[in-house]
Amino acid sequence: MEKPNILDRAIMTVAPVHAAKRAAARAALSVINSGYGNYGANLTKKSMRGWMYHGGSAKEDIEDNIDVLRQRSRDAYMGIPTATAALKTMRTNVVAGGLMPAPQLDSDYLGLDEAAAEKLQAQIVREFALWADTPVCDAERMDNFYQLQQLAFLSYLMNGDTIALLPMKHQAGQPYDLRVRLIEADRVCSPDGFDRLMPCTVQGYEVESIVQGVETDADGMVTAYWICNRHPLGSNSAVDAAGLTWQRVEAYGEATGRRNVLHIMSRERIGQRRGVPLLAPVLESLKQLGRYTDAEITAAVISAMFTVFVKSQNPSDGRPFGEMIPAEELIDSADQSSIELGPGAIIDLNPGEEVQFADPKHPNTGYDEFTNATIRLIGAGLEIPPEVMMKQFTTSYSAARGALNEFWRTCSMQRDWFTDDFCQPVYEEWFAEAVARGRIHAPGFFTDPARRKAYTACAWNGPARTNLNPVQEVDAAIKRVEAGFSTAQEETAQMTGGDYNRNIKLRVTEAKRKREVDEIGKAQTAGE
């Protein structure tokens, strides 16, 4: 701080109040705002003084709040229709019935001709179906692989992340031992509920750091995950907290480098270890919208009752209204202190009593406008156009098409993330087992990482983009293929979610059968 000069000291002696004002003015002028200091970083404007902006690292801002965010996100999904619509819309458009693998072998690098590559790809698809199409692939034997995709993705949206383990378990009559075990995010937590930020010993293991169940080494690299034996929020866990135990699972096998844990999440901060629920930025808006909707519905129901209130000038100890509601229609007849409204309920009048009709002014004429404005803000925060979220395409064709195209970019990005975090790693582990068992012949798979990557190259096709005008979309696709801007395989995947090469093979078979049917028909006509 600048020292006061001779004049300031003199003024302080004679008029200390005035001297304090001079010092404050000098301090304010000593800092000349520039750039962001005039706007977002300004500390003197009244409009900015009330902004609670202090934050911290990813741990303070995210991991320390993750438990509350998860529980509120799940509660919103279960009780607020807009939240349910947002998550289910994302799940349906990104995963739908499941992303289907389409092997894309690098035949040039593997030295395979076109016929050999197509034959091997067809064999891979058949073998993968043996494992993926049955619940045996699920460690809980509940869902097939495509249903597991839906569950894993919805859990990722709702909780911020999903953990998948890849154990091996033999079952009689099954060709593969690979299993997928999904773990809800809450079960991956620090032992005894305490994070470790300094090197210490936990259950006999020397650890550098554990944050929300994710263990990292001195360089910040994820080394292991700590998984609770049951859900920490379960009723049994709350009663018998001492019975909770944690198992340390290495992220990668130390000897083989095999992936033991798949962590499905999307990071938004450097140093972040756990994912943020999709609804986290809009939870407050969703809750307020839910409360407002409940209040409007309740008010509208009361208004629809058309109950007559009796205004009496003579106080009475009896029940003021509701006696005309039949006993069998009372909701809580056991409670004698309950007062209920009934449709068309009217009370007999006594002398000196005045009739008044209940008129709560509902439904509110501004309800739709307000809720639609709020949903637009929520949709913008979630990258889901309100037309898509509410399934209402009442605007113009160009606006609806723009909304669908914009949403498709979001879905495409989410699909790429989910494929990289879950589908492709599971596929590669299955492929390794298939080669090890000799069911798929892939020379050099275990000795050359480049050949391994060439064998496991795969595209994952899912639900196609919604087409408002299929004829125009098909014409545009044909022109893109003819101009070389795209391929028939890419266009097929985008428009129908199918496989162009597989379609061509089926079309050849269909054309052959049609010719045979036509020839039979001509022969029968000639015979008549």
Side-chain angles (χ1 to χ4, degrees):
M1 180 181 294
E2 182 181 355
K3 295 182 178 180
N5 54 34
I6 298 176
L7 178 60
D8 288 334
R9 288 197 295 270
I11 294 176
M12 288 174 63
T13 303
V14 179
V17 175
H18 185 66
K21 292 182 178 179
R22 281 174 54 86
R26 181 182 291 107
L29 292 174
S30 64
V31 179
I32 301 178
N33 291 328
S34 63
Y36 285 117
N38 284 318
Y39 304 100
N42 190 283
L43 301 177
T44 59
K45 290 182 180 179
K46 292 183 178 180
S47 60
M48 306 297 285
R49 288 179 182 174
W51 191 323
M52 305 296 291
Y53 63 89
H54 297 286
S57 67
K59 182 185 184 304
E60 286 80 17
D61 290 351
I62 296 176
E63 276 87 13
D64 288 351
N65 300 302
I66 199 66
D67 291 335
V68 175
L69 289 176
R70 284 196 202 113
Q71 294 177 52
R72 287 182 174 175
S73 176
R74 291 194 290 254
D75 184 76
Y77 172 80
M78 292 184 286
I80 303 176
T82 306
T84 309
L87 297 190
K88 286 189 173 181
T89 296
M90 288 296 297
R91 178 207 60 186
T92 301
N93 285 272
V94 174
V95 178
L99 304 181
M100 304 294 294
Q104 306 287 324
L105 299 179
D106 188 347
S107 56
D108 292 337
Y109 182 80
L110 295 174
L112 300 175
D113 57 29
E114 183 176 353
E118 290 186 0
K119 182 179 179 180
L120 180 55
Q121 289 179 164
Q123 181 189 3
I124 293 172
V125 170
R126 284 192 296 268
E127 285 292 325
F128 187 74
L130 289 176
W131 176 81
D133 290 351
T134 67
V136 175
C137 67
D138 182 6
E140 298 178 353
R141 281 203 300 194
M142 296 288 291
D143 299 321
N144 62 29
F145 180 60
Y146 307 104
Q147 294 167 333
L148 284 176
Q149 291 181 32
Q150 299 176 31
L151 180 60
F153 187 74
L154 183 59
S155 179
Y156 148 73
L157 295 176
M158 194 184 307
N159 299 313
D161 53 11
T162 301
I163 305 298
L165 306 182
L166 301 177
M168 305 293 287
K169 185 176 181 179
H170 178 71
Q171 180 174 333
Q174 297 299 324
Y176 296 102
D177 293 346
L178 177 65
R179 303 291 179 261
V180 178
R181 180 181 295 280
L182 296 182
I183 304 293
E184 192 161 46
D186 304 68
R187 287 186 57 192
V188 179
C189 52
S190 299
D192 303 320
F194 298 103
D195 290 342
R196 277 75 169 177
L197 304 181
M198 300 294 292
C200 60
T201 302
V202 180
Q203 296 183 9
Y205 295 97
E206 298 294 330
V207 301
E208 290 288 335
S209 172
I210 303 177
V211 175
Q212 285 291 331
V214 180
E215 179 185 332
T216 55
D217 62 11
D219 297 324
M221 184 174 66
V222 176
T223 56
Y225 293 82
W226 291 81
I227 302 176
C228 188
N229 61 329
R230 57 177 183 257
H231 202 292
L233 301 179
S235 57
N236 293 333
S237 300
V239 174
D240 185 17
L244 296 179
T245 59
W246 280 262
Q247 179 183 0
R248 182 180 184 270
V249 180
E250 293 183 348
Y252 292 84
E254 184 177 356
T256 63
R258 178 183 185 269
R259 294 189 66 169
N260 298 323
V261 182
L262 305 181
H263 193 177
I264 306 165
M265 65 171 287
S266 174
R267 295 203 298 173
E268 59 186 39
R269 293 280 298 274
I270 297 173
Q272 180 181 342
R273 297 294 173 239
R274 301 304 303 269
V276 179
L278 181 70
L279 300 178
V282 296
L283 278 175
E284 184 177 1
S285 298
L286 285 169
K287 188 60 178 178
Q288 296 288 52
L289 180 62
R291 287 170 174 164
Y292 177 56
T293 301
D294 289 342
E296 285 296 319
I297 293 175
T298 301
V301 170
I302 293 176
S303 178
M305 291 295 185
F306 194 68
T307 296
V308 176
F309 291 85
V310 179
K311 181 179 180 181
S312 177
Q313 297 178 357
N314 300 318
S316 173
D317 294 335
R319 300 181 68 185
F321 55 85
E323 297 294 348
M324 298 301 295
I325 303 176
E328 63 273 9
E329 295 183 11
L330 291 175
I331 297 176
D332 49 359
S333 57
D335 186 358
Q336 297 300 322
S337 63
S338 174
I339 294 176
E340 297 185 19
L341 302 180
I346 302 177
I347 310 305
D348 292 337
L349 302 182
N350 294 320
E353 292 181 339
E354 179 183 350
V355 174
Q356 289 188 350
F357 290 90
D359 185 16
K361 308 298 183 187
H362 286 278
N364 190 336
T365 55
Y367 173 78
D368 284 343
E369 183 178 354
F370 175 78
T371 54
N372 288 335
T374 305
I375 290 173
R376 284 197 294 270
L377 292 175
I378 293 173
L382 301 178
E383 292 190 295
I384 306 177
E387 298 93 337
V388 178
M389 189 188 309
M390 304 307 293
K391 310 298 188 295
Q392 292 182 349
F393 298 93
T394 56
T395 55
S396 64
Y397 169 81
S398 58
R401 190 173 186 274
L404 289 171
N405 287 339
E406 190 68 22
F407 182 57
W408 180 253
R409 296 179 182 177
T410 302
C411 292
S412 179
M413 179 180 62
Q414 290 279 0
R415 186 179 298 176
D416 290 342
W417 286 345
F418 185 64
T419 297
D420 293 340
D421 284 353
F422 184 69
C423 298
Q424 184 65 23
V426 172
Y427 175 79
E428 292 176 2
E429 291 303 321
W430 165 84
F431 201 105
E433 183 181 2
V435 175
R437 292 182 175 277
R439 300 189 66 89
I440 293 179
H441 182 62
F445 181 85
F446 290 109
T447 57
D448 187 353
R451 294 184 68 84
R452 180 186 180 109
K453 183 174 179 59
Y455 278 117
T456 56
C458 183
W460 294 85
N461 300 326
R465 185 190 320 189
T466 302
N467 295 326
L468 296 180
N469 191 324
V471 176
Q472 290 184 358
E473 296 290 345
V474 170
D475 290 341
I478 293 174
K479 291 180 179 179
R480 285 194 294 268
V481 173
E482 291 177 348
F485 301 147
S486 180
T487 65
Q489 178 72 8
E490 293 174 343
E491 295 297 333
T492 304
Q494 289 188 8
M495 297 186 67
T496 66
D499 186 313
Y500 177 78
N501 294 325
R502 192 179 306 169
N503 291 347
I504 290 296
K505 292 180 180 179
L506 292 176
R507 287 291 298 129
V508 171
T509 303
E510 291 174 348
K512 180 180 178 181
R513 291 178 179 175
K514 188 175 185 307
R515 286 194 300 269
E516 293 175 353
V517 171
D518 290 342
E519 292 176 357
I520 293 175
K522 291 179 181 179
Q524 292 177 346
T525 302
E528 295 176 354

